[in-house]
Amino acid sequence: MTIRRVMPDIQSDAVPASREFYERLGFEQVMDAGWIVTLASPSNPTAQVSLITSDETAPVVPDLSVEVDDVDAAYEAMRKSGAEIVHPLQDEEWGVRRFFVRDPNGRVVNVLTHR
């Protein structure tokens, strides 16, 4: 399994102010789905941060996202290890297949593949 990118997911009730803050650091908005805004570095597009008000289909906002090349293999590895699956593996209408898992520190990780 290959990791494609890792990015923090920040739960925010102040998305416009947060977007402006990260833009001052050089990030540019690359996505706005209403409930999630993603900003990326223009010179390194995999360097990203997402601002999330609430997750559209999941019970919690994840703490970070890990994009992998084979989300099904990642899901099976986590399931077999006994890790807590917080949100089941599913295809989302915005073009990703994902699941959430809790790490040993209690952080929720969104593991995904773009379809």
Side-chain angles (χ1 to χ4, degrees), residues 1 5 10 17 20 22 24 26 29 31 37 42 48 54 63 65 67-68 73-74 76 82 88 95 101 104 109 114:
M1 178 175 20
R5 68 184 166 128
I10 301 170
E20 289 174 14
Y22 286 101
R24 285 192 293 274
Q29 182 175 310
M31 183 188 73
V37 171
Q48 299 181 352
S54 62
D63 296 296
S65 293
E67 182 182 355
V68 297
E76 281 306 308
V101 61
V109 181
H114 280 88

PDB file of all heavy atoms in Angstrom, residues 1 5 10 17 20 22 24 26 29 31 37 42 48 54 63 65 67-68 73-74 76 82 88 95 101 104 109 114:
ATOM      1  N   MET A   1       0.847  -1.176   0.000  1.00  0.00           N
ATOM      2  CA  MET A   1       0.000   0.000   0.000  1.00  0.00           C
ATOM      3  C   MET A   1       0.892   1.240   0.000  1.00  0.00           C
ATOM      4  O   MET A   1       1.861   1.313   0.737  1.00  0.00           O
ATOM      5  CB  MET A   1      -0.885  -0.037   1.238  1.00  0.00           C
ATOM      6  CG  MET A   1      -1.767   1.127   1.389  1.00  0.00           C
ATOM      7  SD  MET A   1      -2.924   1.016   2.775  1.00  0.00           S
ATOM      8  CE  MET A   1      -2.238  -0.186   3.852  1.00  0.00           C
ATOM      9  N   ARG A   5      -0.743  11.080   0.343  1.00  0.00           N
ATOM     10  CA  ARG A   5      -0.650  12.351   1.063  1.00  0.00           C
ATOM     11  C   ARG A   5      -1.264  12.198   2.438  1.00  0.00           C
ATOM     12  O   ARG A   5      -2.066  11.291   2.678  1.00  0.00           O
ATOM     13  CB  ARG A   5      -1.319  13.493   0.303  1.00  0.00           C
ATOM     14  CG  ARG A   5      -2.825  13.343   0.227  1.00  0.00           C
ATOM     15  CD  ARG A   5      -3.469  14.439  -0.609  1.00  0.00           C
ATOM     16  NE  ARG A   5      -4.834  14.009  -0.893  1.00  0.00           N
ATOM     17  CZ  ARG A   5      -5.912  14.729  -0.675  1.00  0.00           C
ATOM     18  NH1 ARG A   5      -5.809  15.949  -0.222  1.00  0.00           N
ATOM     19  NH2 ARG A   5      -7.107  14.258  -0.942  1.00  0.00           N
ATOM     20  N   ILE A  10      -9.078  20.283  10.255  1.00  0.00           N
ATOM     21  CA  ILE A  10      -9.315  21.170  11.382  1.00  0.00           C
ATOM     22  C   ILE A  10     -10.801  21.480  11.467  1.00  0.00           C
ATOM     23  O   ILE A  10     -11.370  22.071  10.540  1.00  0.00           O
ATOM     24  CB  ILE A  10      -8.513  22.470  11.231  1.00  0.00           C
ATOM     25  CG1 ILE A  10      -7.019  22.139  11.143  1.00  0.00           C
ATOM     26  CG2 ILE A  10      -8.823  23.431  12.370  1.00  0.00           C
ATOM     27  CD1 ILE A  10      -6.153  23.314  10.752  1.00  0.00           C
ATOM     28  N   ALA A  17     -12.253  33.131   8.371  1.00  0.00           N
ATOM     29  CA  ALA A  17     -11.061  33.652   9.058  1.00  0.00           C
ATOM     30  C   ALA A  17      -9.915  32.642   8.977  1.00  0.00           C
ATOM     31  O   ALA A  17      -8.754  33.024   8.777  1.00  0.00           O
ATOM     32  CB  ALA A  17     -11.390  33.982  10.513  1.00  0.00           C
ATOM     33  N   GLU A  20      -8.413  32.694   5.452  1.00  0.00           N
ATOM     34  CA  GLU A  20      -7.548  33.861   5.307  1.00  0.00           C
ATOM     35  C   GLU A  20      -6.218  33.657   6.024  1.00  0.00           C
ATOM     36  O   GLU A  20      -5.162  34.042   5.517  1.00  0.00           O
ATOM     37  CB  GLU A  20      -8.254  35.103   5.827  1.00  0.00           C
ATOM     38  CG  GLU A  20      -9.395  35.558   4.947  1.00  0.00           C
ATOM     39  CD  GLU A  20     -10.186  36.708   5.556  1.00  0.00           C
ATOM     40  OE1 GLU A  20      -9.706  37.340   6.529  1.00  0.00           O
ATOM     41  OE2 GLU A  20     -11.295  36.975   5.053  1.00  0.00           O
ATOM     42  N   TYR A  22      -4.572  30.794   6.622  1.00  0.00           N
ATOM     43  CA  TYR A  22      -3.723  29.871   5.866  1.00  0.00           C
ATOM     44  C   TYR A  22      -3.309  30.446   4.512  1.00  0.00           C
ATOM     45  O   TYR A  22      -2.239  30.140   4.008  1.00  0.00           O
ATOM     46  CB  TYR A  22      -4.384  28.497   5.743  1.00  0.00           C
ATOM     47  CG  TYR A  22      -4.320  27.766   7.061  1.00  0.00           C
ATOM     48  CD1 TYR A  22      -5.420  27.707   7.909  1.00  0.00           C
ATOM     49  CD2 TYR A  22      -3.135  27.175   7.488  1.00  0.00           C
ATOM     50  CE1 TYR A  22      -5.346  27.067   9.132  1.00  0.00           C
ATOM     51  CE2 TYR A  22      -3.050  26.535   8.717  1.00  0.00           C
ATOM     52  CZ  TYR A  22      -4.160  26.490   9.533  1.00  0.00           C
ATOM     53  OH  TYR A  22      -4.071  25.870  10.748  1.00  0.00           O
ATOM     54  N   ARG A  24      -2.482  33.517   4.108  1.00  0.00           N
ATOM     55  CA  ARG A  24      -1.332  34.365   4.432  1.00  0.00           C
ATOM     56  C   ARG A  24      -0.047  33.538   4.525  1.00  0.00           C
ATOM     57  O   ARG A  24       1.046  34.077   4.364  1.00  0.00           O
ATOM     58  CB  ARG A  24      -1.572  35.133   5.732  1.00  0.00           C
ATOM     59  CG  ARG A  24      -2.550  36.287   5.570  1.00  0.00           C
ATOM     60  CD  ARG A  24      -2.563  37.219   6.751  1.00  0.00           C
ATOM     61  NE  ARG A  24      -3.083  36.619   7.966  1.00  0.00           N
ATOM     62  CZ  ARG A  24      -4.368  36.561   8.315  1.00  0.00           C
ATOM     63  NH1 ARG A  24      -5.287  37.077   7.510  1.00  0.00           N
ATOM     64  NH2 ARG A  24      -4.737  36.015   9.444  1.00  0.00           N
ATOM     65  N   GLY A  26       0.542  31.196   2.381  1.00  0.00           N
ATOM     66  CA  GLY A  26       0.831  30.790   1.013  1.00  0.00           C
ATOM     67  C   GLY A  26      -0.095  29.730   0.446  1.00  0.00           C
ATOM     68  O   GLY A  26       0.035  29.350  -0.720  1.00  0.00           O
ATOM     69  N   GLN A  29      -7.014  28.154  -1.914  1.00  0.00           N
ATOM     70  CA  GLN A  29      -8.191  27.295  -1.864  1.00  0.00           C
ATOM     71  C   GLN A  29      -8.274  26.463  -3.134  1.00  0.00           C
ATOM     72  O   GLN A  29      -8.204  26.989  -4.233  1.00  0.00           O
ATOM     73  CB  GLN A  29      -9.447  28.140  -1.713  1.00  0.00           C
ATOM     74  CG  GLN A  29     -10.712  27.304  -1.615  1.00  0.00           C
ATOM     75  CD  GLN A  29     -11.926  28.150  -1.356  1.00  0.00           C
ATOM     76  OE1 GLN A  29     -11.928  28.972  -0.455  1.00  0.00           O
ATOM     77  NE2 GLN A  29     -12.960  27.942  -2.160  1.00  0.00           N
ATOM     78  N   MET A  31     -10.682  23.611  -3.023  1.00  0.00           N
ATOM     79  CA  MET A  31     -11.992  22.969  -2.980  1.00  0.00           C
ATOM     80  C   MET A  31     -12.852  23.649  -1.929  1.00  0.00           C
ATOM     81  O   MET A  31     -12.364  24.020  -0.859  1.00  0.00           O
ATOM     82  CB  MET A  31     -11.864  21.484  -2.634  1.00  0.00           C
ATOM     83  CG  MET A  31     -13.205  20.754  -2.651  1.00  0.00           C
ATOM     84  SD  MET A  31     -13.118  19.067  -2.015  1.00  0.00           S
ATOM     85  CE  MET A  31     -12.915  19.347  -0.272  1.00  0.00           C
ATOM     86  N   VAL A  37     -13.565  22.966   3.308  1.00  0.00           N
ATOM     87  CA  VAL A  37     -12.750  23.795   2.425  1.00  0.00           C
ATOM     88  C   VAL A  37     -11.334  23.243   2.505  1.00  0.00           C
ATOM     89  O   VAL A  37     -10.806  23.045   3.600  1.00  0.00           O
ATOM     90  CB  VAL A  37     -12.774  25.274   2.869  1.00  0.00           C
ATOM     91  CG1 VAL A  37     -11.756  26.098   2.087  1.00  0.00           C
ATOM     92  CG2 VAL A  37     -14.169  25.850   2.716  1.00  0.00           C
ATOM     93  N   PRO A  42       0.611  25.995  -3.696  1.00  0.00           N
ATOM     94  CA  PRO A  42       0.713  26.022  -5.154  1.00  0.00           C
ATOM     95  C   PRO A  42       1.979  25.331  -5.664  1.00  0.00           C
ATOM     96  O   PRO A  42       1.979  24.774  -6.756  1.00  0.00           O
ATOM     97  CB  PRO A  42       0.736  27.503  -5.514  1.00  0.00           C
ATOM     98  CG  PRO A  42       0.514  28.258  -4.260  1.00  0.00           C
ATOM     99  CD  PRO A  42       0.586  27.324  -3.109  1.00  0.00           C
ATOM    100  N   GLN A  48      -1.471  20.058   2.092  1.00  0.00           N
ATOM    101  CA  GLN A  48      -2.828  20.579   2.185  1.00  0.00           C
ATOM    102  C   GLN A  48      -3.296  20.650   3.628  1.00  0.00           C
ATOM    103  O   GLN A  48      -2.766  19.971   4.508  1.00  0.00           O
ATOM    104  CB  GLN A  48      -3.800  19.678   1.413  1.00  0.00           C
ATOM    105  CG  GLN A  48      -3.506  19.577  -0.053  1.00  0.00           C
ATOM    106  CD  GLN A  48      -4.508  18.698  -0.786  1.00  0.00           C
ATOM    107  OE1 GLN A  48      -5.350  18.034  -0.203  1.00  0.00           O
ATOM    108  NE2 GLN A  48      -4.408  18.704  -2.111  1.00  0.00           N
ATOM    109  N   SER A  54     -18.578  20.340   9.750  1.00  0.00           N
ATOM    110  CA  SER A  54     -19.079  19.030  10.194  1.00  0.00           C
ATOM    111  C   SER A  54     -18.961  18.118   8.993  1.00  0.00           C
ATOM    112  O   SER A  54     -18.931  18.593   7.857  1.00  0.00           O
ATOM    113  CB  SER A  54     -20.531  19.114  10.667  1.00  0.00           C
ATOM    114  OG  SER A  54     -21.376  19.512   9.608  1.00  0.00           O
ATOM    115  N   ASP A  63      -9.549  13.921  12.566  1.00  0.00           N
ATOM    116  CA  ASP A  63      -8.423  14.770  12.938  1.00  0.00           C
ATOM    117  C   ASP A  63      -7.416  14.905  11.802  1.00  0.00           C
ATOM    118  O   ASP A  63      -6.731  15.912  11.703  1.00  0.00           O
ATOM    119  CB  ASP A  63      -7.716  14.196  14.177  1.00  0.00           C
ATOM    120  CG  ASP A  63      -8.637  14.209  15.383  1.00  0.00           C
ATOM    121  OD1 ASP A  63      -9.014  15.315  15.820  1.00  0.00           O
ATOM    122  OD2 ASP A  63      -8.993  13.120  15.881  1.00  0.00           O
ATOM    123  N   SER A  65      -6.455  13.193   7.537  1.00  0.00           N
ATOM    124  CA  SER A  65      -6.791  12.324   6.415  1.00  0.00           C
ATOM    125  C   SER A  65      -5.513  11.736   5.848  1.00  0.00           C
ATOM    126  O   SER A  65      -4.503  12.429   5.744  1.00  0.00           O
ATOM    127  CB  SER A  65      -7.523  13.106   5.316  1.00  0.00           C
ATOM    128  OG  SER A  65      -8.797  13.527   5.765  1.00  0.00           O
ATOM    129  N   GLU A  67      -4.492   9.670   2.413  1.00  0.00           N
ATOM    130  CA  GLU A  67      -4.886   9.134   1.117  1.00  0.00           C
ATOM    131  C   GLU A  67      -3.929   8.004   0.756  1.00  0.00           C
ATOM    132  O   GLU A  67      -2.705   8.177   0.777  1.00  0.00           O
ATOM    133  CB  GLU A  67      -4.839  10.208   0.032  1.00  0.00           C
ATOM    134  CG  GLU A  67      -5.293   9.673  -1.313  1.00  0.00           C
ATOM    135  CD  GLU A  67      -5.219  10.700  -2.428  1.00  0.00           C
ATOM    136  OE1 GLU A  67      -4.901  11.873  -2.169  1.00  0.00           O
ATOM    137  OE2 GLU A  67      -5.478  10.305  -3.583  1.00  0.00           O
ATOM    138  N   VAL A  68      -4.488   6.847   0.440  1.00  0.00           N
ATOM    139  CA  VAL A  68      -3.701   5.670   0.076  1.00  0.00           C
ATOM    140  C   VAL A  68      -4.116   5.205  -1.319  1.00  0.00           C
ATOM    141  O   VAL A  68      -5.155   5.604  -1.826  1.00  0.00           O
ATOM    142  CB  VAL A  68      -3.887   4.524   1.103  1.00  0.00           C
ATOM    143  CG1 VAL A  68      -3.386   4.935   2.478  1.00  0.00           C
ATOM    144  CG2 VAL A  68      -5.348   4.091   1.184  1.00  0.00           C
ATOM    145  N   ALA A  73      -7.498  -2.445   1.076  1.00  0.00           N
ATOM    146  CA  ALA A  73      -6.435  -3.148   1.799  1.00  0.00           C
ATOM    147  C   ALA A  73      -6.194  -2.497   3.164  1.00  0.00           C
ATOM    148  O   ALA A  73      -5.994  -3.201   4.164  1.00  0.00           O
ATOM    149  CB  ALA A  73      -5.149  -3.155   0.987  1.00  0.00           C
ATOM    150  N   ALA A  74      -6.235  -1.172   3.208  1.00  0.00           N
ATOM    151  CA  ALA A  74      -6.051  -0.469   4.486  1.00  0.00           C
ATOM    152  C   ALA A  74      -7.184  -0.815   5.449  1.00  0.00           C
ATOM    153  O   ALA A  74      -6.954  -1.057   6.640  1.00  0.00           O
ATOM    154  CB  ALA A  74      -5.992   1.034   4.252  1.00  0.00           C
ATOM    155  N   GLU A  76      -9.041  -3.558   5.493  1.00  0.00           N
ATOM    156  CA  GLU A  76      -8.871  -4.939   5.961  1.00  0.00           C
ATOM    157  C   GLU A  76      -7.775  -5.047   7.012  1.00  0.00           C
ATOM    158  O   GLU A  76      -7.923  -5.755   8.009  1.00  0.00           O
ATOM    159  CB  GLU A  76      -8.596  -5.879   4.789  1.00  0.00           C
ATOM    160  CG  GLU A  76      -9.834  -6.250   4.014  1.00  0.00           C
ATOM    161  CD  GLU A  76     -10.950  -6.825   4.895  1.00  0.00           C
ATOM    162  OE1 GLU A  76     -10.697  -7.769   5.676  1.00  0.00           O
ATOM    163  OE2 GLU A  76     -12.080  -6.309   4.808  1.00  0.00           O
ATOM    164  N   GLY A  82      -8.173  -5.267  14.815  1.00  0.00           N
ATOM    165  CA  GLY A  82      -9.082  -4.978  15.915  1.00  0.00           C
ATOM    166  C   GLY A  82      -9.243  -3.495  16.200  1.00  0.00           C
ATOM    167  O   GLY A  82      -9.877  -3.117  17.185  1.00  0.00           O
ATOM    168  N   PRO A  88     -17.882   3.358   8.578  1.00  0.00           N
ATOM    169  CA  PRO A  88     -17.619   2.199   7.709  1.00  0.00           C
ATOM    170  C   PRO A  88     -17.061   2.584   6.344  1.00  0.00           C
ATOM    171  O   PRO A  88     -17.228   3.711   5.876  1.00  0.00           O
ATOM    172  CB  PRO A  88     -19.004   1.562   7.561  1.00  0.00           C
ATOM    173  CG  PRO A  88     -19.959   2.689   7.747  1.00  0.00           C
ATOM    174  CD  PRO A  88     -19.313   3.608   8.755  1.00  0.00           C
ATOM    175  N   GLY A  95     -16.687  11.497  -4.822  1.00  0.00           N
ATOM    176  CA  GLY A  95     -15.621  10.841  -5.554  1.00  0.00           C
ATOM    177  C   GLY A  95     -14.533  10.175  -4.746  1.00  0.00           C
ATOM    178  O   GLY A  95     -13.462   9.909  -5.279  1.00  0.00           O
ATOM    179  N   VAL A 101     -11.026   5.459  11.208  1.00  0.00           N
ATOM    180  CA  VAL A 101     -10.521   4.532  12.221  1.00  0.00           C
ATOM    181  C   VAL A 101      -9.913   5.365  13.352  1.00  0.00           C
ATOM    182  O   VAL A 101      -9.367   6.446  13.109  1.00  0.00           O
ATOM    183  CB  VAL A 101      -9.497   3.539  11.611  1.00  0.00           C
ATOM    184  CG1 VAL A 101      -8.283   4.256  11.050  1.00  0.00           C
ATOM    185  CG2 VAL A 101      -9.108   2.466  12.594  1.00  0.00           C
ATOM    186  N   PRO A 104      -4.412   4.785  18.419  1.00  0.00           N
ATOM    187  CA  PRO A 104      -4.219   4.500  19.846  1.00  0.00           C
ATOM    188  C   PRO A 104      -4.278   5.734  20.738  1.00  0.00           C
ATOM    189  O   PRO A 104      -4.447   5.613  21.955  1.00  0.00           O
ATOM    190  CB  PRO A 104      -2.820   3.867  19.900  1.00  0.00           C
ATOM    191  CG  PRO A 104      -2.626   3.274  18.555  1.00  0.00           C
ATOM    192  CD  PRO A 104      -3.311   4.223  17.613  1.00  0.00           C
ATOM    193  N   VAL A 109      -8.882   9.019  12.183  1.00  0.00           N
ATOM    194  CA  VAL A 109      -8.174   9.116  10.915  1.00  0.00           C
ATOM    195  C   VAL A 109      -9.116   8.741   9.781  1.00  0.00           C
ATOM    196  O   VAL A 109      -9.723   7.663   9.786  1.00  0.00           O
ATOM    197  CB  VAL A 109      -6.934   8.185  10.901  1.00  0.00           C
ATOM    198  CG1 VAL A 109      -6.182   8.317   9.583  1.00  0.00           C
ATOM    199  CG2 VAL A 109      -6.023   8.492  12.089  1.00  0.00           C
ATOM    200  N   HIS A 114      -9.195   8.327  -3.858  1.00  0.00           N
ATOM    201  CA  HIS A 114     -10.049   8.973  -4.864  1.00  0.00           C
ATOM    202  C   HIS A 114     -10.424   7.939  -5.919  1.00  0.00           C
ATOM    203  O   HIS A 114      -9.605   7.144  -6.326  1.00  0.00           O
ATOM    204  CB  HIS A 114      -9.321  10.160  -5.523  1.00  0.00           C
ATOM    205  CG  HIS A 114      -9.355  11.368  -4.666  1.00  0.00           C
ATOM    206  ND1 HIS A 114      -8.407  11.639  -3.707  1.00  0.00           N
ATOM    207  CD2 HIS A 114     -10.245  12.376  -4.597  1.00  0.00           C
ATOM    208  CE1 HIS A 114      -8.695  12.758  -3.092  1.00  0.00           C
ATOM    209  NE2 HIS A 114      -9.812  13.238  -3.615  1.00  0.00           N
TER     210      HIS A 114
END
